[in-house]
Each structure stands twice: as structure tokens, then as C-alpha cells.
Amino acid sequence: MPAPPPPPARLTAERLLDSMTPAERARAERVEAVLPALRASAAGADADAAFPAGHVALLRDAGLLGLVVPEEYGGLGGTLRDLAAATFAMGTACPSTALAYFFHNTSASRGLLPLEAIRAGLFTPEEAGEVTAFAERVLTTMASGRWLANFASESVKSSGANISIATAATPAPGGWLLSGEKSFGCATGVADTYLVTAKLEGKDGPDALALFLVPRTASGVTSREPWNGLGMRASANHGIRLTDVFVPDDQALTVPGAFTRMLRVSRGSFVGNQLAIAAVYTGAAQAVYDHTLATLTRRTFADTGRPIASSPVHQVLIGDMTQRLQTAHLWLRRQLELETSEPPLRPKSEVFTHWRLGKGSVTEACFDVALGALKACGTSGATMDGPVGRALRDLAMGLVMTFPAERGRLEAARIATDAQENALFATVEADR
């Protein structure tokens, strides 16, 4: 009797997802195949603070730029589960690439949510044509292998929202002129197309927000100066400037109120699959945890020959790191369950509240893992170009990206006590 076939090799993604469907596993295998190349270039990319240009072709050739695009539009048909699994796995290899890849995939929400809102009856028949055309253009563009950079964030701040939009869209013959500055957005100068959120001239409030597809090479588009910041240095996140950039009507979604109507059908945040960014940080934390454990169990004390990991202080540090890493995993898995379960397990307000708490809980826990690695590995591991130093910088950005944990907790408390959802976007006037 022939021996049974060996079980399939465990995928990196399976460290996050306890079970996968055959289709999910097939998509995760595509991700697994690119990890060696991502890992090989991670240190050099960090040292150069430059996104590895070859990674665009690498992910395109693997079909991964259409990971969460439905098959009917040419994509792989993945869901948020696939995206979280992918960004976690990539985060263990090259967090910068994982972060940029996450932001590319957030663009899909600008295609998927409009179509869902149409099915929900939130657009009139007269509006549905323009909305459908834009949504399908976003999805087919991604599936065709073009990298999209999603630009919403700006340096202007509003007391009542996480993201304030001052970039203005002014009517012009046959289209619109965009002017403004986007202070953060991965794949600056790398992506083929920029997906830009702007406010329509003469209008205020969330209903004034509109979306525009802008070629990277369009006249009037320039990159901001690269910044030497904390965080994932090779994600090309310095942002863009727009000066009277012309966008044709057929590359824009300017139906008044379309933005807010799309938000109504989302399961979490309209920013787009936000828990997958927490998966990037969790993957990076997993990698530095694995590195620390391997280093401390391999190295020995000169006098006793015992592994360094066996000392009481290192046992405490490893225990703390293990607890914090599991905290990140548990919050992430619960959020993923809340946002993907069918039928929904909880009302949207509860899912939203859980994310406001979860984002900070995950990113703080991940940073604590890196901090524990620094203490456990000691001065020999405290180099800026080593796994511990890079992880400490990479994971520090998670403490402030989008919002810090303290703001999330404050918003969760307000939702619980006042039954009011936090405003995600606002519009403000740009400085002239």
C-alpha cells in the first residue's frame, strides 16, 4: 500500500490564519513564492531608504497586484483574509514592501464599495452609470498589473477628524484641475497611477470629497522631498504635490455625496481594509521575535555552555515578548473575524469601535516585541542596520500612523458613552 502523501509545507500566512480554503491557500502560495526575493533585498532597501524598483515587476508577475480584485474584473478574487495574510507574510520579509503593497490594495475599496452601494440602492439610476464606470476602472486597472498609490493623508489637521482634505478640485473644460499637497502615501514616484482624494471647489463637508486617477507622469505632479523619518524607510512615503493637474471627467468620481454613501456599506473603515496594515506590523514583530529566539538559543555563555536564552532575565524578556506578540495576533484575528464573517457577527458600530481599540493595541504590542528584542539581544544587537534596530524603527511608526492608541481609546469611549461615531474625513481650506 503506497504511503500517504506528505502534508503540504506550512505557509507563513498560516501563522496568522489558523485555517484556509483551498483557494486562499493557492493565493497564499503566490505570496510565499516572492518572500525570498523580498527578504534578500530588505536590508539594502532600508539602508538606501529606497523602494526596490524590481518589486513592482515581482509582484505584478506573481499576479498579486490584483489580489483583492474580483475575478470578473481580472483579479484573483481574494478577500480581506487574503490581504491580511499577504501583508503579514510580506511583513516578515520586507516590511517596507508590505506597507506599500497594503496601500496599493486599499485602492480596491474605491472600486468595491461604490458597486456595493449601488446594489444597496444608495445611488439613483442617473448616478449609477458614472459611479459604476469609475469603480470598474479602478478594479480593472489594478488587475491589469498597474500599481496604484492611494493618496488621502495631508499635513493639515482638523480637531474633529483623523484625515482632513484641503486638496482642491476646480472645474475645467472636460475635467478638473487638482492643486494641493499629499504629505504621506507609499510608492511615491514608484506607482503607475495615483488615486487622489480631493474636495470639490465651493463645497464643504464629507459630501464634497471626490476621487481622481492621476498618472504619475502627469504634468503638474511632483514628489515631495524624501524625509529621513522613523518607520519603514524603503516604502517611498514622502508624498506628492499637485499644481493645476488636469484630470479628465472619465478619470474622476465627482457625484456629490458619493464618498459618504460608499462609507455606509463598509464593514470597517473607508480608508480600506485597515486591519491589513496592522498585519504588516505584526509580521515585522513576528520576524524580530523569531530572530531573537534563534539568536539567544544558539548563542551560549562562555563559562557554562548553556544557551543565553536559559538565563532568568532572558526567560522573563522572552516571556514578555511572547505575550505581546500573542496579544497582537489575538486582536488581529478577532478584527478579521468581525470584518469577514457572514452573516456579520456584530453591528457596524461595534466593529468600528473594536478597530479603534485594536489598531493601537496591535501596534503597541508589536513595538513592545521589538523593544524586548533590543533588551534581550543587548549591545551586540543594537545596530541600526541589523534586524533588531530595523524592527525598532519600523514598528515605531505604527504608534502614530493614522492615529495613536490614545486617540483610538478616546474615540471608543465616546462611541460607548455618546453613541457617536468618529468622523473619519473632513474638508478644510488650504493655506494660500
Side-chain angles (χ1 to χ4, degrees):
M1 185 175 185
R10 192 182 188 207
L11 301 174
T12 304
E14 290 179 291
R15 302 181 77 172
L16 177 66
L17 299 184
D18 291 320
S19 62
M20 289 183 174
T21 67
E24 287 173 337
R25 184 174 178 84
R27 290 185 285 264
E29 287 172 346
R30 290 177 180 252
V31 177
E32 194 75 21
V34 304
L35 296 186
L38 299 188
R39 191 171 290 112
S41 62
D46 178 86
D48 296 338
F51 184 86
H55 286 181
V56 176
L58 176 72
L59 298 180
R60 178 189 296 122
D61 293 346
L64 291 171
L65 297 188
L67 176 66
V68 294
V69 174
E71 292 179 353
E72 63 191 282
Y73 297 107
L76 295 181
T79 69
L80 181 55
R81 283 172 52 85
D82 295 272
L83 180 57
T87 56
F88 170 81
M90 291 183 186
T92 68
C94 180
S96 289
T97 299
L99 186 69
Y101 180 70
F102 160 77
F103 277 104
H104 161 76
N105 282 280
T106 63
S107 303
S109 67
R110 276 59 167 172
L112 297 171
L113 290 180
L115 297 176
E116 188 173 344
I118 290 173
R119 291 191 291 269
L122 299 182
F123 290 99
T124 68
E126 293 74 21
E127 295 169 329
E130 179 182 338
V131 174
T132 299
F134 183 83
E136 292 182 343
R137 183 168 290 108
V138 169
L139 297 174
T140 55
T141 297
M142 294 177 68
S144 71
R146 295 181 65 81
W147 192 296
L148 266 63
N150 194 349
F151 284 98
S153 296
E154 302 186 11
S155 58
V156 293
K157 299 296 181 183
S158 169
S159 62
N162 292 314
I163 300 173
S164 299
I165 305 298
T167 298
T170 305
W176 301 82
L177 294 176
L178 302 186
S179 292
E181 184 171 307
K182 296 297 186 180
S183 60
F184 181 91
C186 291
T188 300
V190 174
D192 302 295
T193 302
Y194 298 149
L195 178 57
V196 175
T197 304
K199 70 185 190 73
L200 302 178
E201 184 186 46
K203 299 182 182 298
D204 291 307
D207 284 354
L209 295 175
L211 299 169
F212 301 86
L213 290 169
V214 181
R216 181 189 70 234
T217 56
S219 176
V221 178
T222 57
S223 295
R224 288 171 21 123
E225 289 299 316
W227 63 304
N228 187 24
L230 290 171
M232 297 162 187
R233 289 162 44 83
S235 56
N237 59 12
H238 39 288
I240 59 174
R241 291 187 179 91
L242 303 153
T243 305
D244 291 331
V245 178
F246 178 74
V247 180
D249 282 324
D250 64 359
Q251 301 295 310
L253 178 57
T254 58
V255 173
F259 204 89
T260 52
R261 280 180 272 182
M262 287 185 274
L263 178 60
R264 289 168 58 185
V265 297
S266 68
R267 290 283 290 270
S269 162
F270 183 73
V271 173
N273 301 329
Q274 278 290 287
L275 76 84
I277 195 173
V280 175
Y281 293 113
T282 306
Q286 183 73 62
V288 75
Y289 175 87
D290 293 343
H291 165 80
T292 301
L293 207 59
T295 298
L296 298 180
T297 54
R298 184 178 64 249
R299 293 173 55 194
T300 60
F301 290 111
D303 54 344
T304 66
R306 294 278 296 158
I308 293 176
S310 66
S311 80
V313 67
H314 286 90
Q315 289 279 287
V316 170
L317 290 170
I318 292 169
D320 287 344
M321 291 172 64
T322 304
Q323 186 271 336
R324 299 303 285 153
L325 183 61
Q326 287 303 311
T327 295
H329 274 274
L330 289 170
W331 273 99
L332 198 54
R333 287 170 180 155
R334 178 56 174 165
Q335 187 69 31
L336 189 58
E337 180 184 41
L338 289 174
E339 293 198 27
T340 60
S341 60
E342 293 294 348
L345 297 175
R346 294 286 188 271
K348 179 179 175 179
S349 60
E350 291 186 28
V351 176
F352 184 82
T353 302
H354 192 273
W355 169 244
R356 309 313 279 178
L357 293 171
K359 183 269 176 183
S361 298
V362 170
T363 53
E364 285 187 332
C366 289
F367 182 77
D368 288 345
V369 172
L371 189 59
L374 176 67
K375 294 177 181 179
C377 292
T379 53
S380 61
T383 61
M384 292 300 291
D385 58 352
V388 175
R390 296 204 314 269
L392 201 63
R393 282 190 290 103
D394 287 346
L395 293 168
M397 184 57 78
L399 302 178
V400 297
M401 183 177 287
T402 309
F403 59 89
E406 290 79 5
R407 178 162 187 162
R409 292 165 191 148
L410 175 62
E411 292 167 359
R414 286 176 175 170
I415 293 170
T417 57
D418 300 337
Q420 293 179 347
E421 287 193 9
N422 167 255
L424 181 61
F425 285 93
T427 58
V428 295
E429 292 298 320
D431 293 332
R432 302 296 184 189

